[in-house]
């Protein structure tokens, strides 16, 4: 399996709203913690280590030009 | 402090060579009488070699150090006739509980597979282990164990080392064809040969407190992440022999080690952990820090490094002594064959190849545990806590909890001594792997498979087989159904022992090669290969 980078979410705006909404009442720290749990849950769902590596590398390198 | 254990004081005895002022050449000199050096002496003696052991001290390991010994070192000690005593005195445990904050999030059962002589793990204070090895050595005429003998310098010639040793009677010189350096993490010998010792140093401190307590806490390993009684740090509770319990508190880098080990500081910590009403006596307290590092080369000419002198790991997962004893298991048979002139000196280099590979595996495991237990950044801490929170409510996160992984032998899968399989096999007994034990009967009496393997090479065969010799190195047949009965069918099951199958097993009980039928020419070639012989045979 390789990382699917084509659009795969049926309702993009709905999904985006849902995830932002889920953290609206949280402090940054609470949201960060939730994100860590979410990553683990989704990573387990994916399972395949090669795919996870690709995703981690992509996430680590995009946006690198931005400060902070 | 209270004492359940009285430290023996071993007598210094002047040696004849020092008294008479002559320089003697020994086949093997071992530096250091810790668990690794003592095991080395007994193992060499069991292979017919004489050795001298030098130790700068005159007692066993002071205070509380190693607690847990795993199945493989116990099997090695069983070969040396020591394991029964360790197992009888030691505490067997199999249940581990992990707490996060005030909640139990995870519980594991070591679930040792049935049908092995030795348990998965025992807990026993390191001083017992050493004291009993010293006792056994005293009765062994091949071993000359010398207390209050400090190695102060070493230099090497082409085929031997020259050692300068200091005793209460002054300084003398002695020589050795081979030196095994087992002088611990701060090895002087390592400095004398100029070896590098590199790796990762962890900026953290841990308090260990041994207490004597009769309370009926269960015989389980309890590990806390961020407990209410010790916020933001980890803590551990583990039982040892004589109602002694090991408590371990992570302190952080800023703590003052001299302050922290004072009883007035330790006792409140213990009370906070166990409750105010639990009665206990403090037996030992010390503060340690650790590093994960290893020597570049295990062999420097005639000097061979083993145990903590060769590699240092974090205590999480109980790997130090466990892996050091396996260094010795790997080394002694090779040294014996080389000294007897039956194998080329290259065989000694396979010691580095195989044990550096194992050390790297141990270091990796122990570094991973350390990173989980003591996260180095806020982001890493968040992932750690996320795992623990999820472990309480989901199955998937449980295997991610790492409070120290059980020490298990590293198979030498890449070793040049292995003859690769040319047929198909099921199960775990691939070349380079340590043999699994299994129950057998011998002449109608229940016994264990590993105890039937000889001191040399063995041909474990599920069909007819005969002794095979290469260059004076003989593999003796051990025929299932003839020399032993596979009482529960577990030998055949664990070795995929279809009729005719045949395993060549090394003197350290690792699989060297295997075939679906016995062919003396193939066996001979595999023995040669397992002895590092070049060319074809
Ligand atoms: C808190 C703690 C918990 C641990 N828990 C475990 C555990 O549960 N399981 C486990 O397997 N391991 C554990 N370990 C590690 C274990 O204690 C060591 O790995 C083990 O003692 C190493 O044995 P060694 O023989 O290589 O070295 P050491 O035990 O250090 O022995 C070295 C010997 O060499 C002698 N020596 C030093 N220099 C010289 C010299 N110049 N001349 C002559 N002699 C010299 C010393 O006096 C000493 O006797 C733990 C360690 C600590 C600190």
């Amino acid at each position: 399996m390789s990382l699917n980078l084509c659009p795969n979410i049926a309702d993009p705006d709905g999904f985006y709203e849902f995830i932002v909404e889920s953290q609206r009442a949280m402090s940054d720290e609470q949201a960060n913690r939730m994100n860590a749990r979410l990553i683990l849950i989704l990573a387990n769902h994916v399972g395949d280590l090669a795919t996870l590596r690709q995703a981690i590398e992509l996430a680590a390198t995009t946006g690198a030009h931005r400060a902070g | 402090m209270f004492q359940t254990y009285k430290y023996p004081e071993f007598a210094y005895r002047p040696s004849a060579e020092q008294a008479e002022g002559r320089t003697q050449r020994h086949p093997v000199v071992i530096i250091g009488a810790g668990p690794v050096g003592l095991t080395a002496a007994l193992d060499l003696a069991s292979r017919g070699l004489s050795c001298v052991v030098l130790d700068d001290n005159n007692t066993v390991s002071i205070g509380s150090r190693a607690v847990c010994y795993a199945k493989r070192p116990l099997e090695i000690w069983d070969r040396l006739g020591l394991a029964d005593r360790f197992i009888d005195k030691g505490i067997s445990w199999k249940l581990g509980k992990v707490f996060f904050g005030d909640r139990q999030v995870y519980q594991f059962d070591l679930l040792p597979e049935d049908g092995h002589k030795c348990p998965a793990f025992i807990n026993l204070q390191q001083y017992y282990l050493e004291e009993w090895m010293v006792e056994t050595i005293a009765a062994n005429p091949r071993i000359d164990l010398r207390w209050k003998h400090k190695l102060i310098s070493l230099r090497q010639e082409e085929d031997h080392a020259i050692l300068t040793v200091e005793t209460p009677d002054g300084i003398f010189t002695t020589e050795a064809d081979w030196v095994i350096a087992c002088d611990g993490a701060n090895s002087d010998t390592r400095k004398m040969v100029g070896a590098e010792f590199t790796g990762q140093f962890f900026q953290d401190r841990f308090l260990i407190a041994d207490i004597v307590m009769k309370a009926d806490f269960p015989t389980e390993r309890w590990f806390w992440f961020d407990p209410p009684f010790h916020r933001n740090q980890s803590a551990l509770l583990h039982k040892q022999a004589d109602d002694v319990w090991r408590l371990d508190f992570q302190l952080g880098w800023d703590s003052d080690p001299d302050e922290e080990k004072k009883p007035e500081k330790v006792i409140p910590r213990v009370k906070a952990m166990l409750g105010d009403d639990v009665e206990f006596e403090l037996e030992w307290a010390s503060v340690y820090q650790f590093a994960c590092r290893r020597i570049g080369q295990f062999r420097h000419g005639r000097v061979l490094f083993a145990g903590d002198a060769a590699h240092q790991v974090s205590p999480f997962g109980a790997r130090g002594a466990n892996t050091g004893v396996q260094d010795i298991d790997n080394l002694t048979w090779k040294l014996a064959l080389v000294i007897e002139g039956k194998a080329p000196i290259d065989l000694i280099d396979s010691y580095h190849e195989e044990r550096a590979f194992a050390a790297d595996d141990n270091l990796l495991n122990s570094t991973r545990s350390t990173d989980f237990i003591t996260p180095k950044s806020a982001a890493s801490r968040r992932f750690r806590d996320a795992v623990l929170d999820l472990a309480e409510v989901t199955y998937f996160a449980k295997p991610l909890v790492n409070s120290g992984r059980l020490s298990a032998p590293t198979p030498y899968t890449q070793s040049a001594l292995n003859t690769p399989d040319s047929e198909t096999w099921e199960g775990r007994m691939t070349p380079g792997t340590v043999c699994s034990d299994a129950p057998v009967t011998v002449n109608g009496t229940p016994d264990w498979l590993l105890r039937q393997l000889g001191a040399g090479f063995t041909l474990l065969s599920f069909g007819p087989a005969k002794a095979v010799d290469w260059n004076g190195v003989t593999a003796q047949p051990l025929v299932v159904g003839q020399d032993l009965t596979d009482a529960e069918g577990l030998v055949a099951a664990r070795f995929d022992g279809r009729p005719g199958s045949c395993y060549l097993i090394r003197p350290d009980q690792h699989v060297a090669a295997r075939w679906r039928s016995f062919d003396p020419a193939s066996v001979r070639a595999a023995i040669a290969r397992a002895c590092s012989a070049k060319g074809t045979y």
Side-chain angles (χ1 to χ4, degrees):
Chain A
M1 192 173 44
S2 80
L3 187 63
N4 182 1
L5 294 174
C6 299
N8 196 31
I9 298 173
D11 174 11
D13 292 346
F15 159 73
Y16 193 85
E17 180 194 358
F18 188 72
I19 192 160
V20 171
E21 202 48 45
S22 73
Q23 300 187 333
R24 185 179 297 282
M26 293 183 188
S27 68
D28 275 356
E29 183 52 26
Q30 285 170 325
N32 279 338
R33 288 181 190 202
M34 175 187 143
N35 288 345
R37 289 192 291 271
L38 186 61
I39 288 168
L40 294 174
I41 292 166
L42 296 176
N44 181 66
H45 187 83
V46 172
D48 179 61
L49 207 54
T51 309
L52 291 171
R53 280 221 177 89
Q54 263 183 290
I56 290 169
E57 276 156 25
L58 178 64
T61 49
T62 36
H65 58 282
R66 300 201 306 152
Chain B
M1 282 189 214
F2 191 82
Q3 289 294 324
T4 54
Y5 180 78
K6 192 172 173 313
Y7 288 91
E9 225 178 82
F10 304 118
Y12 160 72
R13 279 191 216 91
S15 66
E17 57 179 319
Q18 183 176 14
E20 294 160 19
R22 61 185 160 85
T23 300
Q24 197 176 332
R25 174 79 67 88
H26 303 279
V28 184
V29 171
I30 296 165
I31 315 298
V36 176
L38 295 168
T39 303
L42 286 163
D43 204 4
L44 286 171
S46 82
R47 300 190 183 284
L49 293 178
S50 298
C51 61
V52 175
V53 187
L54 308 177
D55 193 276
D56 59 354
N57 210 333
N58 68 339
T59 186
V60 294
S61 165
I62 297 287
S64 187
R65 287 175 77 194
V67 169
C68 305
Y69 306 98
K71 181 160 146 291
R72 182 57 196 160
L74 289 171
E75 288 170 352
I76 294 165
W77 286 321
D78 195 40
R79 189 161 59 65
L80 303 174
L82 295 160
D84 288 335
R85 195 169 179 191
F86 296 168
I87 295 169
D88 285 350
K89 177 80 180 178
I91 302 283
S92 294
W93 62 277
K94 54 197 203 92
L95 202 63
K97 288 183 179 160
V98 174
F99 302 88
F100 181 36
D102 54 4
R103 303 170 340 264
Q104 182 182 324
V105 294
Y106 177 53
Q107 166 170 327
F108 61 89
D109 193 329
L110 292 179
L111 267 189
E113 187 183 64
D114 276 341
H116 294 258
K117 179 182 172 185
C118 295
F121 250 106
I122 63 159
N123 285 6
L124 183 68
Q125 293 90 317
Q126 183 165 335
Y127 40 71
Y128 279 120
L129 195 88
E130 293 184 19
E131 183 184 338
W132 296 341
M133 284 201 261
V134 171
E135 235 176 82
T136 311
I137 283 175
N140 194 318
R142 290 204 176 101
I143 307 172
D144 180 355
L145 172 52
R146 302 184 189 169
W147 302 105
K148 294 263 177 213
H149 279 63
K150 183 179 170 72
L151 179 71
I152 53 173
S153 79
L154 176 146
R155 101 189 138 75
Q156 298 202 59
E157 295 292 335
E158 178 68 24
D159 63 349
H160 67 283
I162 300 147
L163 299 87
T164 312
V165 178
E166 186 176 34
T167 72
D169 286 317
I171 290 173
F172 75 105
T173 301
T174 188
E175 294 179 355
D177 291 335
W178 293 96
V179 173
I180 310 181
C182 309
D183 49 348
N186 296 319
S187 171
D188 294 324
T189 319
R190 206 174 49 221
K191 291 162 205 149
M192 291 170 198
V193 304
E196 55 171 330
F197 194 53
T198 50
Q200 201 180 347
F201 180 85
F202 292 91
Q203 297 212 326
D204 211 330
R205 294 183 210 281
F206 289 78
L207 166 72
I208 53 176
D210 275 16
I211 60 164
V212 189
M213 157 173 92
K214 294 252 155 57
D216 49 351
F217 271 89
T219 306
E220 298 169 355
R221 175 188 190 267
W222 287 8
F223 196 101
W224 288 267
F225 292 97
D226 193 15
F229 58 82
H230 193 53
R231 273 297 170 206
N232 285 316
Q233 309 281 20
S234 66
L236 173 72
L237 171 72
H238 224 182
K239 188 171 185 187
Q240 309 173 67
D242 303 333
D243 295 312
V244 176
W245 296 73
R246 158 67 62 79
L247 316 182
D248 202 313
F249 298 88
Q250 182 192 358
L251 296 175
W253 186 236
D254 298 333
S255 53
D256 176 346
D258 293 323
E259 270 308 299
E260 289 292 345
K261 66 181 180 215
K262 290 184 179 158
E264 59 266 34
K265 194 90 177 139
V266 177
I267 288 168
R269 287 201 190 282
V270 177
K271 286 197 162 154
M273 178 195 254
L274 302 174
D276 262 336
D277 46 341
V278 174
E279 275 182 49
F280 67 89
E281 299 265 6
L282 189 60
E283 175 158 284
W284 170 264
S286 58
V287 173
Y288 69 95
Q289 60 196 75
F290 56 79
C292 286
R293 45 189 176 171
R294 88 156 160 86
I295 197 166
Q297 291 293 323
F298 281 48
R299 176 180 171 202
H300 282 251
R302 291 296 175 129
V303 183
L304 305 159
F305 289 86
D308 279 12
H311 40 69
Q312 207 187 352
V313 294
S314 84
F316 307 124
R319 285 164 188 276
N322 282 318
T323 164
V325 168
Q326 294 172 73
D327 290 343
I328 297 305
D329 190 36
N330 187 284
L331 176 60
T332 50
W333 68 272
K334 296 175 177 175
L335 202 52
L337 285 180
V338 169
I339 289 174
E340 289 162 12
K342 291 179 178 168
I345 205 161
D346 301 3
L347 182 57
I348 302 291
D349 290 322
S350 74
Y351 168 63
H352 168 81
E353 189 200 336
E354 296 185 333
R355 292 311 297 170
F357 180 71
D360 288 346
D361 183 41
N362 273 308
L363 285 163
L364 178 68
N365 273 290
S366 123
T367 306
R368 286 173 170 176
S369 300
T370 307
D371 282 338
F372 192 89
I373 293 167
T374 63
K376 302 295 174 298
S377 68
S380 152
R381 164 88 193 247
R382 249 179 246 127
F383 274 120
R384 201 280 304 276
D385 290 354
V387 165
L388 292 169
D389 278 331
L390 287 167
E392 192 182 3
V393 292
T394 68
Y395 285 111
F396 91 82
K398 293 182 196 292
L400 294 172
V401 175
N402 189 345
S403 67
R405 299 277 182 226
L406 225 97
S407 160
T410 305
Y412 309 136
T413 47
Q414 316 295 317
S415 172
L417 305 190
N418 300 339
T419 299
D421 284 339
S422 54
E423 291 135 317
T424 47
W425 297 82
E426 315 261 301
R428 285 185 284 123
M429 291 298 113
T430 53
T433 307
V434 67
C435 283
S436 171
D437 204 0
V440 298
T441 49
V442 181
N443 300 323
T445 311
D447 212 316
W448 298 97
L449 175 66
L450 290 184
R451 290 161 51 85
Q452 313 312 312
L453 301 176
F457 281 86
T458 302
L459 268 175
L460 175 67
S461 179
F462 298 84
K466 290 203 176 64
V468 176
D469 180 89
W470 169 81
N471 199 34
V473 183
T474 307
Q476 293 292 348
L478 179 68
V479 180
V480 178
Q482 182 181 312
D483 299 315
L484 58 83
T485 307
D486 187 7
E488 299 173 26
L490 286 174
V491 182
R494 289 175 185 170
F495 287 78
D496 186 16
R498 276 176 251 159
S501 303
C502 175
Y503 278 75
L504 176 67
I505 295 168
R506 308 186 338 185
D508 59 3
Q509 306 182 336
H510 285 64
V511 175
R514 54 185 178 169
W515 305 270
R516 285 302 184 187
S517 61
F518 169 65
D519 167 41
S522 307
V523 176
R524 196 168 300 121
I527 299 174
R529 186 174 183 137
C531 292
S532 289
K534 297 280 183 298
T536 43
Y537 295 87

